[in-house]
Amino acid sequence: MCGIIGFTGLKQAAPILLEGLARMEYRGYDSAGIAVVSSDPPRALQLAKVSGKVAGLFEKTQNGAAFPGTCGIGHTRWATHGAPTETNAHPHVSMHGMFAVNHNGIIENFVPLKQELLAKGYTFKSETDTEVVAQLLEDNYEGDFQKAVEKVLSMIEGSYAFAIVCRDDPDTLFAVKKNSPLILGKGEGFNLFASDVTALVEHTREVVYMEDGQYAKVTPDSIELFAEDGSPLPLVTSHVTLSISAAEKGGYEHFMMKEMMEQPEAVERTISPRIKDGEIVLDDFSLTREQLLGFRKIMITACGSAYYAGLAGKYAIERLCGLPVDVQIASELRYSDTPIDDRCLLIVLSQSGETLDTIAAVKECKAKGATVLAIVNVVESALTKLADSVLYTWAGPEVAVATTKGYTTQLAVLYLFAVYAAKVLGRLDGEAYASYIRELQQLPEAVRASLKLDCDMENMAQYFKDAQHVFYLGRNTDSALAMEGALKFKEISYIHAEAYAAGELKHGTIALIEPGTPVVSLCTNEALIEKSLSNIIEVKARGAVVTAVVPAGVPVSEEIRGYADRCVEVPALRDIFASIAAVVPLQLLAYHVAKLRGCSIDKPKNLAKSVTVE
Ligand code: G6P
């Protein structure tokens, strides 16, 4: 949901800004822009904007060479206020060219502020809330950049991260954070900041994670951090170990393929260090045994694929822990009257840790007394600050908008948690516990085995590429898996796909099955295969072409083979863990169908990876 960057130092700013934007493009890619203070007189803010992707900005600025200067800001946008046109692209410059502003977030009171400015004679070029901030800075500027920033921050309401540059103060930038991420990077002879650490690591590994309500004055030689009230704050520096290659395609055509292929290692990193001598040891889990024993209910909340991971986790937790688990979409939970109290554990799932609806739901539930366990991938992200305990998914940076390794590592943590909590609650011990541990340790290998289906799924993609609708069916854990499979398929191939609990299809939706309609039937749950078979027979009778996903080496799979048009064999795992390997062919199918259709795989239309608006 928009990426912003600022650089000031001895090097040319524009190429650094452009590279940083390219790395953060997953955050929004409908328009982009940079503003650089000119190094040659007369001093001015040089501005380039494009509608569309960052590649257009590279072209427009001759890879940055057209904009000489050592201080500037950049932005890649996912439109909220105003269509994704060049005019609405950031940076927004004040009427007399004194300030340029990049913004990630929403200014809630921009309408009255704009009216006041209009009454004072200010004119506006764009439909954005951000332009109001640029004009307000100019209106409140009396020769002191910092004072103008402080004044404007006291006037605006909403959520934001800003990068601000001033023509009259050519080496200085201001970085402001409230509810949108911003990380400062400390260099030698330069300093910079960005929405995501992946845009910084090429230049420095010493970073400062800004907190909400803070702002920073950034010059080539110094970073000064301030609280909302203007009082100075110490800089707490962290060392980032992330490799640059983690944020690059590494020879793959798309980030999505690279990230799918990284899943065995990601799942391994997430699980292995947490199993020591046959025991699950959650060093980073701070809830006590007494706390766990006190919970009467678990609520899981998330958005998108993280929500579907939560649905899959429900089956594992209910089976092993015997606690009721409710799973709600965060944007619904935040406005619901679902009873939540201090005997409720809220498990929140988020790859980015910054999804606005998810954060809002957590705040609501916390206010009602819930204890919060966050399962998050991005280190130090907003949700980690709100939670009582955090379990990281060590997936590494995920760039493709459609999550893959983010989802599988969320499943891995949920499975770990379910087994761990069952042990603590006294519901799992001895050989039963040991056998769960052994299977958890086998999961990375099972995911690796599923990836060998790549060629098969590539071949199978041709049967799906011209479909109008695809139905994904499954029962129990497979119904949660069906939802993730359908989401992956539709979000990158733009073919309508719908998931149904297999037994529910006949209550209406089966009317849409016609001769030739592709149906993907998920049958990983051995105990329910007979039931799934009945559903396959039902849709086959209406002409559907069925692709079944079955566990390898299980006799009952043979029965399915007799009816389905095609079978995909995945590693046979215990039903509550099966989704982690069975989702892989579904990801691969979506990828290959999207590729055959020439879709923008890593950056599907209308989407963004981290959704920081309601
Ligand atoms: C967006 C992404 C999805 C993701 C969802 C939740 O819609 O495109 O891939 O599942 O946000 O994001 P989160 O970062 O909270 O997991």
Side-chain angles (χ1 to χ4, degrees):
M1 206 89 328
C2 304
I4 66 176
I5 184 166
F7 175 90
T8 178
L10 298 174
K11 303 180 210 169
Q12 289 297 301
I16 292 169
L17 298 175
L18 291 169
E19 282 301 329
L21 292 181
R23 288 199 194 282
M24 292 190 293
E25 206 170 12
Y26 71 86
R27 301 182 64 84
Y29 37 84
D30 56 35
S31 50
I34 57 171
V36 176
V37 188
S38 59
S39 51
D40 305 324
R43 196 183 290 151
L45 294 177
Q46 309 166 93
L47 184 70
K49 305 202 230 186
V50 293
S51 78
K53 299 195 172 138
V54 175
L57 203 57
F58 273 92
E59 214 172 293
K60 194 166 187 177
T61 62
Q62 295 156 30
N63 297 329
F67 279 17
T70 57
C71 179
I73 58 175
H75 188 272
T76 178
R77 178 171 187 243
W78 189 89
T80 50
H81 284 82
T85 59
E86 192 175 313
T87 315
N88 287 332
H90 298 214
H92 290 285
V93 179
S94 58
M95 198 163 79
H96 302 104
M98 183 61 77
F99 292 94
V101 179
N102 284 338
H103 172 208
N104 174 22
I106 289 180
I107 307 298
E108 281 158 11
N109 60 337
F110 89 102
V111 174
L113 291 171
K114 187 169 179 173
Q115 275 159 359
E116 280 171 34
L117 288 161
L118 284 167
K120 286 183 178 176
Y122 283 86
T123 55
F124 288 80
K125 292 186 181 136
S126 77
E127 302 153 76
T128 66
D129 48 347
T130 310
E131 195 178 359
V132 171
V133 178
Q135 308 286 33
L136 277 178
L137 283 162
E138 194 161 287
D139 195 46
N140 288 280
Y141 183 58
E142 290 168 358
D144 186 326
F145 188 1
Q146 184 160 353
K147 283 213 169 99
V149 171
E150 280 170 2
K151 182 83 199 294
V152 171
L153 291 182
S154 72
M155 300 165 81
I156 57 175
E157 289 160 20
S159 64
Y160 42 78
F162 291 126
I164 311 170
V165 62
C166 174
R167 187 184 64 199
D168 271 6
D169 207 339
D171 293 326
T172 304
L173 297 173
F174 275 86
V176 186
K177 170 175 163 43
K178 188 174 175 194
N179 297 337
S180 291
L182 211 52
I183 304 147
L184 304 164
K186 289 170 73 178
E188 294 283 318
F190 68 87
N191 286 303
L192 76 173
F193 57 89
S195 307
D196 187 337
V197 78
T198 54
L200 304 179
V201 284
E202 210 176 327
H203 309 286
T204 179
R205 295 188 171 275
E206 302 309 306
V207 304
V208 178
Y209 290 98
M210 290 180 74
E211 306 272 345
D212 283 339
Q214 295 180 344
Y215 70 93
K217 180 180 181 184
V218 183
T219 68
D221 315 310
S222 67
I223 298 179
E224 292 171 75
L225 192 64
F226 300 93
E228 215 158 3
D229 63 6
S231 54
L233 294 167
L235 283 185
V236 182
T237 311
S238 306
H239 184 79
V240 179
T241 52
L242 183 82
S243 73
I244 296 169
S245 64
E248 287 175 344
K249 278 190 208 156
Y252 287 98
E253 193 179 345
H254 299 100
F255 276 108
M256 184 178 174
M257 181 52 91
K258 178 189 174 230
E259 289 161 6
M260 285 191 287
M261 292 298 166
E262 284 171 349
Q263 291 181 107
E265 286 74 32
V267 171
E268 173 99 44
R269 262 199 312 275
T270 301
I271 292 179
S272 294
R274 289 166 167 149
I275 298 180
K276 290 173 191 150
D277 302 325
E279 287 282 336
I280 298 178
V281 182
L282 302 178
D283 287 333
D284 42 358
F285 183 74
S286 58
L287 303 186
T288 62
R289 179 170 183 275
E290 286 60 44
Q291 276 177 296
L292 277 179
L293 286 168
F295 296 126
R296 287 289 160 268
K297 161 184 175 171
I298 293 180
M299 170 66 77
I300 300 182
T301 195
C303 299
S305 292
Y307 166 69
Y308 296 141
L311 284 178
K314 168 187 164 83
Y315 292 97
I317 297 170
E318 286 189 337
R319 168 92 54 85
L320 295 177
C321 303
L323 279 170
V325 181
D326 187 1
V327 193
Q328 291 201 23
I329 293 169
S331 54
E332 291 296 318
L333 178 62
R334 62 182 292 194
Y335 297 118
S336 89
D337 294 323
T338 302
I340 303 274
D341 59 23
D342 58 1
R343 310 205 79 185
C344 172
L345 172 65
L346 177 76
I347 301 181
V348 56
L349 294 152
S350 176
Q351 188 284 126
S352 64
E354 59 171 291
T355 304
L356 186 125
D357 280 320
T358 309
I359 289 172
V362 169
K363 286 182 178 163
E364 282 293 317
C365 294
K366 266 191 92 149
K368 292 177 184 168
T371 302
V372 180
L373 165 63
I375 298 175
V376 173
N377 192 39
V378 176
V379 175
E380 296 275 337
S381 51
L383 273 172
T384 67
K385 308 279 158 64
L386 283 174
D388 298 288
S389 187
V390 180
L391 288 173
Y392 280 111
T393 54
W394 295 113
E398 194 179 60
V399 178
V401 166
T403 181
T404 52
K405 61 177 181 169
Y407 171 83
T408 40
T409 52
Q410 283 166 351
L411 290 184
V413 174
L414 286 164
Y415 299 164
L416 272 170
F417 172 79
V419 178
Y420 172 85
K423 174 88 188 297
V424 172
L425 296 171
R427 295 178 56 91
L428 200 56
D429 228 325
E431 176 45 30
Y433 177 65
S435 79
Y436 276 100
I437 297 282
R438 280 197 298 277
E439 190 152 326
L440 283 171
Q441 288 172 314
Q442 286 163 14
L443 296 181
E445 219 28 67
V447 173
R448 187 167 287 117
S450 275
L451 281 167
K452 295 198 178 117
L453 291 163
D454 184 31
C455 267
D456 292 352
M457 301 322 292
E458 186 175 6
N459 292 333
M460 228 172 257
Q462 61 178 302
Y463 301 111
F464 289 81
K465 74 174 192 340
D466 300 316
Q468 298 274 310
H469 313 278
V470 179
F471 292 91
Y472 284 71
L473 307 182
R475 288 171 177 267
N476 201 264
T477 50
D478 283 332
S479 76
L481 176 61
M483 292 183 196
E484 174 59 9
L487 177 63
K488 213 82 312 174
F489 193 88
K490 68 186 137 193
E491 71 181 326
I492 61 169
S493 76
Y494 313 147
I495 294 173
H496 170 235
E498 200 170 329
Y500 250 82
E504 187 65 14
L505 190 80
K506 58 186 168 294
H507 297 292
T509 307
I510 200 165
L512 296 173
I513 303 285
E514 289 177 352
T517 304
V519 168
V520 179
S521 174
L522 302 167
C523 312
T524 69
N525 193 327
E526 225 183 305
L528 295 172
I529 281 191
E530 296 289 348
K531 304 287 170 202
S532 302
L533 184 57
S534 315
N535 301 127
I536 290 176
I537 294 169
E538 276 162 21
V539 293
K540 285 287 300 171
R542 274 93 187 161
V545 179
V546 176
T547 302
V549 177
V550 297
V554 174
V556 71
S557 297
E558 287 310 309
E559 280 187 56
I560 303 269
R561 200 175 283 281
Y563 288 91
D565 297 87
R566 285 178 285 274
C567 268
V568 178
E569 287 199 345
V570 291
L573 292 166
R574 209 181 281 266
D575 60 345
I576 51 172
F577 295 164
S579 297
I580 201 166
V583 74
V584 173
L586 308 184
Q587 298 168 342
L588 290 166
L589 178 66
Y591 173 88
H592 287 297
V593 171
K595 197 169 159 192
L596 282 178
R597 289 166 62 85
C599 300
S600 169
I601 291 181
D602 285 338
K603 296 170 197 143
K605 67 173 187 235
N606 303 339
L607 300 183
K609 188 155 188 69
S610 74
V611 183
T612 52
V613 293
E614 200 171 329

